[in-house]
Amino acid sequence: LWDEVVFVVVGDNGEAFYEHGFGNPSGPMYDEVVRTLAVMKLPESMGLRGSIFARPVSHIDISASIPGI
């Protein structure tokens, strides 16, 4: 089953731990608040190798790519 599944893990938002004077994501959009984890594991049958995207992506980018798989 693992070889045939699409597995996605994402973070909803980063956390600020008072680096800029506030302790939650409701303040200004500093880098540690904006950047989060996003991992997508595709089926091995697709024959695709891992990739790292340096540009920003959104949750909608991930969900939009699943139907094409």
Side-chain angles (χ1 to χ4, degrees):
L1 182 62
W2 180 250
D3 295 339
E4 300 171 12
V5 71
V6 174
F7 187 76
V8 180
V9 177
V10 295
D12 63 345
N13 60 279
E15 289 295 329
F17 296 105
Y18 294 98
E19 294 93 347
H20 304 284
F22 62 97
N24 59 41
S26 63
M29 300 303 285
Y30 289 104
D31 196 51
E32 60 270 13
V33 175
V34 176
R35 292 182 183 263
T36 61
L37 174 73
V39 177
M40 180 183 277
K41 183 253 178 227
L42 301 175
E44 289 187 11
S45 62
M46 293 185 70
L48 298 174
R49 299 188 55 96
S51 298
I52 296 175
F53 292 91
R55 65 178 179 78
V57 296
S58 174
H59 290 162
I60 199 162
D61 297 322
I62 294 170
S63 62
S65 61
I66 291 174
I69 297 173

